[in-house]
Amino acid sequence: MAHDPHGVFARMREAGPVHTIVAPDGSPAWLVTRHADVQAALGDPRFSLDKSNARPGGYKGFELPPALDANLLNMDPPDHTRLRRLAGQAFTARHTANLRPELERAAQTLADDLAGHERVDLVRDFATPFAVGAISELLGVPAESRTDFRTWTNAVLGADATREGIRATVREMYTFFVALLAAKRANPGPDLLSALIAARDADDRLSEDELTSLAFLLLFAGYENSANLMAGALYAMVDDEVLRDALRADPEAVPTLVEEVARHMSPALLAIRRFPLEDLELGGVTIPAGDTVLLSIAAANRDPRRYPHADRIRLDRPDPARHLSFGQGIHYCIGAPLARLEGEIAVRTVLTRFPKIRRHAPISWQPSIRVRGLSSLPVELGG
């Protein structure tokens, strides 16, 4: 499945809206594949993200320690509402727009570094450092502390990840975040982590586990999703000369490209697991309370019932932002404005600086059944 997730999801989507499967953790689960059903479930408060609502003997997951597990992906209101309100202040559309000049300078600096080479890898040399730098600056992670997040991601989300390997990586991540938060508490700055620490220490609105978990989620998810979306947009632009010419003729279409890539390549193949609080009917199937439900964002985003020519990237698609890649309802991705802005800046920068760019070798994808992202995008810059 990791090699052709869209093909697998397409066959399942056409076979039926809901399927019984074995989840990545080895437990039984329901997989939902059609757009209407996925959209309905994403916004339905009868589906809980809190693992305490899973039935006994069912969902196992990563078994994160409490200090990393008390995050937005494992919470329902009112705790979810409280944490999201605190973190969301840094990710509003207005605040993100104010980051544009700084992000544009960072993209130009990376492009300057690329300019001295004939061949580069746009994932390794541009998308990943751009995404890591952006979220690190927002959170206040010092440059010398920016470790290899891609290695962590592959160790946890890779198709060949083992439970022992995941536990070892989680311990490493926990050590990193404890040290980072201790440093920010000793020397606070004008950044989001310092603000979250102040909220905990002054008003006790965050427990220590909530603070560590939120820092973990914002950094880990904030870099990974943005890097995958950015790399996908660069790949679409580099690999399709007609599309590239259309973007040159109409640079205002770049945000549409980013939205179409978010839909077409779906950086998250699956939404975070959910647990019905009561027996529910979805897609004509009754799902018992407490069972694990996986919503296939990738399958929904290519459902021809919702999107004509769903397997194509189209710059003339009406309402291009009407996809499900960033979720729906109260669990809509908090970092969506930042991911969109990074993708737009990346495409504009590379398209302008390297008009003769072209791919010179096959691409490769991350070996994961949970996320969809390029692990390499080799290109010739073309002088």
Side-chain angles (χ1 to χ4, degrees):
M1 181 172 173
H3 299 292
D4 181 25
H6 291 292
V8 173
F9 286 138
R11 291 189 291 274
M12 297 182 75
R13 184 179 59 230
E14 296 315 305
V18 181
H19 303 265
T20 55
I21 64 166
V22 176
D25 65 2
S27 63
W30 300 88
L31 179 70
V32 185
T33 58
R34 294 182 182 173
H35 184 279
D37 300 312
V38 171
Q39 184 178 41
L42 284 171
D44 192 333
R46 296 175 299 173
F47 284 96
S48 170
L49 266 64
D50 188 337
K51 292 186 295 186
S52 67
N53 290 309
R55 65 175 177 82
Y59 175 79
K60 300 182 183 66
F62 290 143
E63 300 178 359
L64 291 173
L68 296 181
D69 210 20
N71 62 64
L72 293 170
L73 300 185
N74 192 37
M75 285 184 174
D76 299 326
D79 287 335
H80 176 275
T81 306
R82 174 172 53 88
L83 263 69
R84 187 179 175 97
R85 182 170 59 246
L86 285 170
Q89 299 171 23
F91 291 93
T92 63
R94 171 180 287 185
H95 184 82
T96 302
N98 291 336
L99 299 175
R100 179 182 287 273
E102 181 180 343
L103 292 177
E104 288 177 339
R105 285 192 294 270
Q108 290 295 340
T109 298
L110 287 169
D112 290 341
D113 294 339
L114 297 183
H117 304 275
E118 179 182 354
R119 293 180 174 179
V120 299
D121 182 337
L122 286 182
V123 173
R124 180 194 63 207
D125 302 323
F126 190 90
T128 296
F130 188 26
V132 169
I135 194 66
S136 295
E137 287 294 329
L138 185 66
L139 295 179
V141 181
E144 63 272 15
S145 298
R146 296 172 192 176
T147 187
D148 190 353
F149 302 134
R150 176 70 70 177
T151 300
W152 283 353
T153 302
N154 290 341
V156 173
L157 300 179
D160 57 351
T162 64
R163 191 163 294 274
E164 294 74 19
I166 291 173
R167 288 197 184 104
T169 301
V170 167
R171 285 195 297 270
E172 185 179 344
M173 288 191 289
Y174 172 71
T175 300
F176 172 84
F177 284 106
V178 168
L180 174 62
L181 289 170
K184 299 305 294 184
R185 183 172 282 117
N187 295 288
D191 53 73
L192 180 56
L193 287 186
S194 295
L196 292 174
I197 290 169
R200 182 201 182 282
D201 291 346
D203 304 324
D204 203 28
R205 289 186 288 175
L206 288 172
S207 70
E208 192 67 28
D209 284 351
E210 286 174 344
L211 175 61
T212 308
S213 297
L214 188 55
F216 158 71
L217 176 65
L218 292 174
L219 186 59
F220 192 67
Y223 122 77
E224 173 69 12
N225 291 334
S226 293
N228 288 341
L229 176 59
M230 194 187 318
L234 290 170
Y235 169 50
M237 181 268 292
V238 166
D239 217 45
D240 187 332
E241 187 175 355
V242 174
L243 182 62
R244 194 161 62 248
D245 290 343
L247 294 171
R248 286 200 190 96
D250 181 16
E252 296 306 309
V254 170
T256 300
L257 170 69
V258 173
E259 297 294 351
E260 267 289 87
V261 166
R263 179 195 65 81
H264 184 264
M265 297 187 187
S266 299
L269 295 175
L270 303 169
I272 191 69
R273 74 288 174 279
R274 283 160 164 77
F275 312 102
L277 296 174
E278 59 190 69
D279 293 356
L280 295 176
E281 182 177 313
L282 191 62
V285 176
T286 299
I287 301 177
D291 277 12
T292 302
V293 178
L294 299 175
L295 307 175
S296 175
I297 301 297
N301 276 341
R302 291 204 190 185
D303 190 341
R305 298 165 187 80
R306 173 62 179 83
Y307 305 101
H309 308 290
D311 288 327
R312 292 171 48 196
I313 292 176
R314 296 181 54 178
L315 296 181
D316 62 347
R317 191 177 299 280
D319 299 323
R322 296 293 294 274
H323 55 76
L324 301 178
S325 289
F326 295 121
Q328 187 107 344
I330 64 170
H331 296 293
Y332 187 81
C333 176
I334 196 171
L338 181 60
R340 285 179 162 120
L341 180 60
E342 290 178 41
E344 176 197 337
I345 290 173
V347 171
R348 289 185 188 277
T349 301
V350 173
L351 184 65
T352 302
R353 292 288 301 272
F354 309 108
K356 297 180 181 179
I357 192 171
R358 64 186 181 91
R359 185 163 59 86
H360 80 82
I363 62 170
S364 61
W365 296 93
Q366 295 178 46
S368 176
I369 58 177
R370 296 180 179 88
V371 299
R372 185 64 167 166
L374 288 163
S375 58
S376 68
L377 177 52
V379 298
E380 290 182 351
L381 298 178

